[in-house]
Amino acid sequence: MRASEPSSTALLIARCLLLAEATPTLRPLLPPHAAEITRQFLTHAPRARLLDFALRHASSRRLLLALEHVVLPGIIRHYLVRKRCIETHVRDFLHQHPDAQVVVLGAGLDTLAWRLAATNAASAFELDRPATQAVTRRTNLSPAPHLIALDLARDCPAAALAKTSGYSPAKPTLFVAEGLLMYFRPGRVGELLAALARAAHDSRLVFTFLERRPNQALGFRGGHCVIDAWLRWRSEPFEWGEDRANLPGFLQDHGWTLSTLTSAPELRERFLSAPERRGQALAEGEAIALARRA
């Protein structure tokens, strides 16, 4: 990842959300108010002139969706149901713990913490690289979550949170790591999990991870080779994944106990079971886990 630039994948996913807003079959899957906040974020982001032009025109949007079908069918829909599933975990946790705090790690241009802050649903915190966070800092939105600039590839999130006004390790805390851990080497993933286990006394962790398959490259199933080439070009290659059977032990070694594990068939059943959504493409290969501090 290039230190002086915002995350390329964060920018791409943000633009995918705007493409979803303009697509009737995808729009119902968007979290409430996510598109309007994302649009404000992107006004302060580096320009992608061709892509931004395409988002404004119906014929070009159809071309983008056709390209998605070739490169990785259903990846935009996966992003949307992934966010919906994670937000369900967050809302359930806040229902059980009204005084809780939510910490989003490597947030990119995600809107969850901003929407929680706007409704006073929880004390919300975002940790991300300065170059990526600079985009959201320029947005004139209030109230805003607590923004903590750090490099998760080398800095300790527990230490950064301990220095942050408003954060309390005594409060119930939910950590969110969506589309993040796959970009770190296994040793660093373990360090981050162990640090988060020390950051609060009563905590949960919801995160996504790529599922490893025997004799298969790490990544989404059915993805075109251009994906890996683009990620390497942007210095954001996939580094870590885990076999579902080995995940409980890996978590236990770093201070966590697995509570639930959700994969593509379950996401389809939960979010795409309506008659008009059956049969729609949904990318597979990334699972969502919820863990409790051991």
Side-chain angles (χ1 to χ4, degrees):
M1 192 176 294
R2 302 172 185 179
S4 61
E5 299 177 1
S7 165
S8 297
T9 51
L11 293 170
L12 178 62
I13 292 173
R15 291 184 167 100
C16 285
L17 260 64
L18 296 190
L19 177 58
E21 183 197 29
T23 306
T25 57
L26 295 172
R27 189 183 305 125
L29 296 172
L30 278 166
H33 308 295
E36 60 191 73
I37 297 175
T38 299
R39 186 175 292 102
Q40 293 187 58
F41 286 163
L42 287 173
T43 62
H44 302 281
R47 298 293 302 276
R49 296 185 184 278
L50 186 59
L51 187 53
D52 291 339
F53 174 85
L55 288 173
R56 295 194 297 269
H57 298 82
S59 58
S60 301
R61 291 196 297 270
R62 288 193 292 270
L63 183 61
L64 291 176
L65 292 172
L67 180 63
E68 181 224 28
H69 186 73
V70 172
V71 174
L72 183 51
I75 186 60
I76 297 176
R77 193 169 286 106
H78 170 76
Y79 292 148
L80 297 175
V81 299
R82 180 177 81 178
K83 291 183 180 300
R84 291 286 298 275
C85 181
I86 289 173
E87 185 153 343
T88 298
H89 285 309
V90 172
R91 300 290 179 181
D92 288 347
F93 184 74
L94 295 178
H95 179 73
Q96 297 167 15
H97 306 280
D99 62 334
Q101 51 198 5
V102 176
V103 179
V104 183
L105 301 121
L109 273 64
D110 184 68
T111 65
L112 175 60
W114 293 79
R115 289 183 289 113
L116 291 175
T119 58
N120 293 313
S123 298
F125 302 79
E126 274 195 7
L127 285 72
D128 210 343
R129 296 167 55 252
T132 301
Q133 206 169 74
V135 175
T136 55
R137 284 181 181 274
R138 297 190 192 104
T139 305
N140 188 26
L141 289 176
S142 182
H146 300 269
L147 301 177
I148 305 170
L150 82 168
D151 186 349
L152 287 165
R154 62 169 186 265
D155 299 331
C156 177
L161 287 165
K163 299 175 185 176
T164 301
S165 175
Y167 178 82
S168 171
K171 284 186 176 183
T173 304
L174 177 63
F175 298 102
V176 178
E178 178 190 356
L180 171 70
L181 299 179
M182 61 185 71
Y183 298 107
F184 297 124
R185 295 186 182 278
R188 182 55 182 164
V189 174
E191 291 172 355
L192 286 170
L193 293 179
L196 295 176
R198 298 191 302 269
H201 307 313
D202 179 14
S203 58
R204 310 290 186 277
L205 168 67
V206 58
F207 66 97
T208 67
F209 69 99
L210 292 175
E211 298 185 63
R212 283 200 176 276
R213 295 164 290 154
N215 305 316
Q216 297 288 326
L218 187 62
F220 288 92
R221 296 172 192 170
H224 196 281
C225 62
V226 72
I227 297 173
D228 288 337
W230 184 80
L231 289 170
R232 288 194 299 270
W233 174 53
R234 302 308 301 174
S235 300
E236 298 179 20
F238 295 145
E239 299 278 5
W240 176 72
E242 189 58 87
D243 185 287
R244 291 171 69 90
N246 296 335
L247 185 66
F250 180 79
L251 289 172
Q252 194 70 44
D253 289 343
H254 298 95
W256 298 92
T257 300
L258 181 65
S259 298
T260 63
L261 186 55
T262 306
S263 57
E266 293 157 307
L267 291 173
R268 180 178 293 281
E269 179 63 26
R270 289 178 62 182
F271 299 104
L272 301 175
S273 60
E276 66 274 14
R277 294 178 187 165
R278 289 175 186 163
Q280 293 179 347
L282 181 66
E284 299 188 18
E286 183 182 25
I288 302 169
L290 176 67
R292 176 191 297 266
R293 182 176 184 266

